[in-house]
Amino acid sequence: MLDIYADLCERVLAIPVIKGRKTESEKFAGAVATYAIEALMHDGKALQSGTSHYFGDGFARAFGIQFTGRDNTLQTPFQTSWGVSTRILGAIIMAHGDDNGLVLPPAVAPVQLVIVPIAAHKAGVAEKAAELKMSLGRTFRVKLDDSEQSPGWKFAEHEMKGVPLRLEIGPRDLQNGQCVLVRRDTREKIVCPLDELEPTIERLLEDYRNSLYDAALARRESMTYDCTDLDGFMSTAATKPGFIRAMWCGSTECEQRLKEVAGVSSRCIPFEQQRISEKCVCCGEPAKELVYWGKAY
Ligand SMILES: [Zn+2]
């Protein structure tokens, strides 16, 4: 399940995640093991974005759950439990949003393209805008904003709502058989011939997802710090929001101490391990595993 959640986050929502196992003290109480995907938000705080737990047969025994096996004897099941929740909506907002509002990944944007007619009172503009809404609406989630507001007001409104693409069409565009497409994330303007709209929008939406992902990944990497001694760990935790990667001996005491002196918790023991030093960042004893540490929501 964790792989499915990671795929949802990365491919659909364009949020890169770290896959790993929780430490004993961070795992779900009573579980044999807890696995999680961790994402980094704009402000450098970590958000646990999905979990899966292996329960063993502990809960089944505690609640008296049994079944009759193929051999006709009573048996106790081994269980798993997993979930993502509405916090994933928070992740979308906090991983991609900017000072102008939401930035939504195209796959889940309720409106993927908003059409804003310019000088809609001029001959043919409103009609063409309505026609584009009809034709593009067969392939994309399209809104036509033909309200009385000014174009500038509409631009800001739909930017705030995170609509990935805006299509502007005015009298001069009509004459030239073209329109202007504007990306919400980069604000890049693309002049597009009307008869090439559909493939262009399709390509732009795909690019859009890719650049959201790349930007989030670059941001995460620029906010991830490797620490090999306690002083460096503490000053990094105090001054640099983000993930800290550090080696750990596996003891709960060291984990607790790091929480007390640096205010961070262990986020996960990543499946993709790397040895950045041989010693525990806290006690200096031989290190067992690399751990991601951070401040969490
Ligand atoms: Zn230690």
Side-chain angles (χ1 to χ4, degrees), residues 249 251 254 280 282-283:
C249 64
S251 86
C254 283
C280 171
C282 186
C283 67

